[in-house]
Amino acid sequence: MKSNPMIDSKSHPSRDGVLPSLWQEHRAATILTANDEREIADQVWDVIVVGGGITGLTTALRLQEAGKRCIVVEAYQIGFGTTGGTTAHINTMLDTPYHTIESDFGASGAKLVADAARAGRDIIARNVSAYQIGCDFEYKDGILFAQTEQEEAELQKIFAASQRAGVEVLPAEAIPVPLDFRMAINYRMQAQIHPLNYLLGLAQAFTAAGGIILQHTPVSDSKRQQGVHEVETAGGTIRGHQLVYATHIPPGVNVLHFRCAPYRSYVLGAQLATDLYPNNLAYDMQEPYHYFRTHQLDGKRYLIFGGADHKTGHGDPDAAFRELEAYLHKHFDVASIDYRWSAQYFEPADGLPYIGELPGSEEHTYVATGFSGNGILFGSFSALLLTDLILGNESPYEKLFSPLRIKPIAGFTNFIKENADVVYRFVADRLNVDRLEALVELAPETGAVVSYEDQKVALYKSSEGKISALSPVCTHAGCIVAWNNAEKSWDCPCHGGRYDIAGKVLTGPPRKDLEAISLG
């Protein structure tokens, strides 16, 4: 096994695009102990966890606490992906409203989901306290407000169903943002954190408990032989009895890729000219909805404002940022917009995450995915459920969140819609590409898929005018990638894979880079 030092430096923030988040620019300087290659190569681990985000590190720490010997394998750096880009709203109010959950999974199912949400919140609070993690953890109220008659009718349903599920929610007379509203409700005991400092705190706690973390170690393949998983990485083979894919969406081609749709959400970090920052979390009911909160870093307060979500590879990221900026300037006295970034999430077909054994996989392979916009919460809850499954404990949540569940009614329309869209993009993007003449109009630091001598080519022009070419065929399932000008990446519109300008994988499920093409 190749040696892999665990160094995480504040001066080298990592990110899955060219736009760093507020957290990646303001984070703790952390140095973790380098690993001895001998102690890694010669062992069979109890659990291999692939992915060093909120799900992977919370799960690994919990298993290590339970006496399991765990190793975490991360393709880039801790905090590179979605956890480093989240806005870290910790909610018992969920993106899938409780009346929808109640309709599809029954009243008992809605109550279990509410219990799971509280459990996820409490795991975070417990870890912060137990390991003294400096991550600005604060309990906040979460205010959901309606601005139209139609939204008000929907909010009344949400309020009643939330109460039936046992969620602590009350009517609200005011909202923390300067907007008109017709009705508002207050979800008590929500929370917020600095997600990257929390993640680094988990990493330190895990390694202090004897766990091993390998950074810059992408996984290329895995197989199970004689009861042991053999995970192939850039540094060699890692062997373990249990395998957890905490990679946001599992790698390879799996049924879960057809049950989860990838979306990107856009965020601004702004300073205001006045002191009218929201003192609690707030959410409107537009589609897609906007979300607001405040965080103080290095003596400065920031309004963190997001929304303008669209399916990965489908919308216009530049337009999304412009839309948010226009909204912010309309409703707030903005002094400066200091940060712009986006993050990816996966929307599950029936509204609930998939946590448990990976369908169609080898024995003792687990996954957690489909968190919608509640990744910090459900990533933390996943650790609770996955630990019980791996330890052989019974869990009241196992059946409800199982990836093996079959719900022929709940979410079926969304399932068909998302996969019909995949088929459309697979065909249409091959038939409707720009002519090569577009190359002369390609601006510096932009890309496009063009037709070049009967080939489809992903072209990029550098700031110096140099042209590079890649195959535009995503290495995951063969869809054609789209250019993301805001983040200078190639994004797959089918299953959410993303690549940098050189074709290197930024975000799974693909494992292989885009192929380079010579222009002669």
Side-chain angles (χ1 to χ4, degrees), residues 224-273:
R224 186 172 172 86
Q225 295 191 134
Q226 297 179 336
V228 175
H229 291 281
E230 296 184 353
V231 175
E232 301 298 328
T233 78
T237 302
I238 302 172
R239 303 172 72 233
H241 295 293
Q242 313 261 11
L243 175 61
V244 175
Y245 282 117
T247 51
H248 206 40
I249 192 78
V253 178
N254 185 273
V255 66
L256 291 182
H257 299 123
F258 301 98
R259 293 181 178 175
C260 295
Y263 282 80
R264 293 197 75 74
S265 190
Y266 296 84
V267 189
L268 303 178
Q271 294 188 67
L272 302 182

Side-chain angles (χ1 to χ4, degrees), residues 172-192:
E173 298 299 324
I175 65 176
V177 288
L179 299 168
D180 294 330
F181 71 100
R182 294 175 60 97
M183 176 185 173
I185 59 176
N186 179 3
Y187 286 85
R188 301 300 310 281
M189 294 292 287
Q190 313 298 281
Q192 65 181 41

Side-chain angles (χ1 to χ4, degrees), residues 85-270:
T86 179
T87 55
H89 292 239
I90 302 169
N91 302 118
T92 57
M93 175 195 75
L94 305 176
D95 276 23
T96 302
Y98 284 101
H99 67 281
T100 301
I101 299 171
E102 190 177 76
S103 174
D104 291 340
F105 297 93
S108 60
K111 289 179 180 179
L112 266 180
V113 173
D115 290 344
R118 283 189 293 269
R121 177 200 63 192
D122 293 346
I123 287 169
I124 296 169
R126 176 261 182 192
N127 285 338
V128 169
S129 176
Y131 295 106
Q132 295 297 292
I133 300 174
C135 61
D136 306 330
F137 178 91
E138 290 184 83
Y139 286 110
K140 295 284 184 179
D141 289 339
I143 310 299
L144 179 63
F145 60 93
Q147 296 175 287
T148 68
E149 185 177 350
Q150 183 178 359
E151 289 175 358
E152 183 177 9
E154 179 72 7
L155 187 55
Q156 289 172 343
K157 294 179 183 178
I158 292 172
F159 179 56
S162 297
Q163 289 188 315
R164 287 195 297 271
V167 180
E168 188 178 357
V169 59
L170 303 167
E173 298 299 324
I175 65 176
V177 288
L179 299 168
D180 294 330
F181 71 100
R182 294 175 60 97
M183 176 185 173
I185 59 176
N186 179 3
Y187 286 85
R188 301 300 310 281
M189 294 292 287
Q190 313 298 281
Q192 65 181 41
I193 57 172
H194 185 307
L196 193 47
N197 284 349
Y198 175 69
L199 194 66
L200 295 173
L202 292 180
Q204 289 179 309
F206 173 63
T207 56
I212 297 292
I213 301 176
L214 299 180
Q215 295 187 110
H216 306 291
T217 308
V219 169
S220 58
D221 199 7
S222 66
K223 59 184 178 182
R224 186 172 172 86
Q225 295 191 134
Q226 297 179 336
V228 175
H229 291 281
E230 296 184 353
V231 175
E232 301 298 328
T233 78
T237 302
I238 302 172
R239 303 172 72 233
H241 295 293
Q242 313 261 11
L243 175 61
V244 175
Y245 282 117
T247 51
H248 206 40
I249 192 78
V253 178
N254 185 273
V255 66
L256 291 182
H257 299 123
F258 301 98
R259 293 181 178 175
C260 295
Y263 282 80
R264 293 197 75 74
S265 190
Y266 296 84
V267 189
L268 303 178

Side-chain angles (χ1 to χ4, degrees), residues 138-446:
E138 290 184 83
Y139 286 110
K140 295 284 184 179
D141 289 339
I143 310 299
L144 179 63
F145 60 93
Q147 296 175 287
T148 68
E149 185 177 350
Q150 183 178 359
E151 289 175 358
E152 183 177 9
E154 179 72 7
L155 187 55
Q156 289 172 343
K157 294 179 183 178
I158 292 172
F159 179 56
S162 297
Q163 289 188 315
R164 287 195 297 271
V167 180
E168 188 178 357
V169 59
L170 303 167
E173 298 299 324
I175 65 176
V177 288
L179 299 168
D180 294 330
F181 71 100
R182 294 175 60 97
M183 176 185 173
I185 59 176
N186 179 3
Y187 286 85
R188 301 300 310 281
M189 294 292 287
Q190 313 298 281
Q192 65 181 41
I193 57 172
H194 185 307
L196 193 47
N197 284 349
Y198 175 69
L199 194 66
L200 295 173
L202 292 180
Q204 289 179 309
F206 173 63
T207 56
I212 297 292
I213 301 176
L214 299 180
Q215 295 187 110
H216 306 291
T217 308
V219 169
S220 58
D221 199 7
S222 66
K223 59 184 178 182
R224 186 172 172 86
Q225 295 191 134
Q226 297 179 336
V228 175
H229 291 281
E230 296 184 353
V231 175
E232 301 298 328
T233 78
T237 302
I238 302 172
R239 303 172 72 233
H241 295 293
Q242 313 261 11
L243 175 61
V244 175
Y245 282 117
T247 51
H248 206 40
I249 192 78
V253 178
N254 185 273
V255 66
L256 291 182
H257 299 123
F258 301 98
R259 293 181 178 175
C260 295
Y263 282 80
R264 293 197 75 74
S265 190
Y266 296 84
V267 189
L268 303 178
Q271 294 188 67
L272 302 182
T274 66
D275 198 38
L276 298 177
Y277 289 85
N279 60 347
N280 281 304
L281 314 177
Y283 315 83
D284 68 19
M285 295 183 63
Q286 294 185 24
E287 184 59 45
Y289 68 87
H290 297 105
Y291 44 95
F292 312 77
R293 81 171 181 91
T294 300
H295 205 105
Q296 183 165 317
L297 291 165
D298 297 334
K300 296 179 181 179
R301 282 204 288 179
Y302 294 92
L303 169 63
I304 299 172
F305 167 63
D309 304 17
H310 64 74
K311 284 193 70 177
T312 302
H314 287 245
D316 182 343
D318 280 325
F321 282 119
R322 289 195 299 270
E323 176 186 326
L324 291 183
E325 289 177 20
Y327 185 101
L328 201 61
H329 281 288
K330 179 180 179 181
H331 297 290
F332 293 86
D333 190 355
V334 178
S336 63
I337 297 176
D338 299 352
Y339 296 94
R340 298 167 178 82
W341 77 92
S342 73
Q344 189 148 295
Y345 64 92
F346 285 85
E347 194 70 39
D350 62 10
L352 295 187
Y354 301 101
I355 307 166
E357 290 192 55
L358 179 60
S361 66
E362 294 169 312
E363 191 178 8
H364 299 302
T365 303
Y366 301 89
V367 69
T369 188
F371 298 156
S372 193
N374 304 111
I376 292 291
L377 183 87
F378 279 128
S380 302
F381 166 74
S382 294
L384 174 69
L385 179 50
L386 291 174
T387 297
D388 279 341
L389 295 176
I390 289 170
L391 296 179
N393 299 331
E394 290 187 6
S395 171
Y397 306 109
E398 179 178 358
K399 184 177 179 181
L400 181 65
F401 292 102
S402 172
L404 302 173
R405 68 182 182 262
I406 299 174
K407 297 290 292 183
I409 298 176
F412 183 74
T413 301
N414 285 338
F415 175 83
I416 296 299
K417 172 185 166 186
E418 299 295 355
N419 288 282
D421 184 62
V422 166
V423 173
Y424 169 78
R425 296 301 298 232
F426 189 89
V427 176
D429 283 354
R430 281 168 168 73
L431 299 178
N432 296 290
V433 293
D434 298 331
R435 300 294 301 171
L436 181 59
E437 291 84 83
L439 175 59
V440 298
E441 300 176 2
L442 197 61
E445 297 188 300
T446 61

Side-chain angles (χ1 to χ4, degrees), residues 10-26:
K10 183 177 180 180
S11 62
H12 295 89
S14 55
R15 50 192 181 267
D16 69 353
V18 299
L19 301 175
S21 71
L22 181 74
W23 323 115
Q24 289 161 333
E25 291 284 282
H26 298 268

Side-chain angles (χ1 to χ4, degrees), residues 467-486:
I467 300 293
S468 58
L470 301 166
S471 166
V473 180
C474 178
T475 60
H476 173 241
C479 296
I480 298 296
V481 297
W483 174 247
N484 177 340
N485 195 56

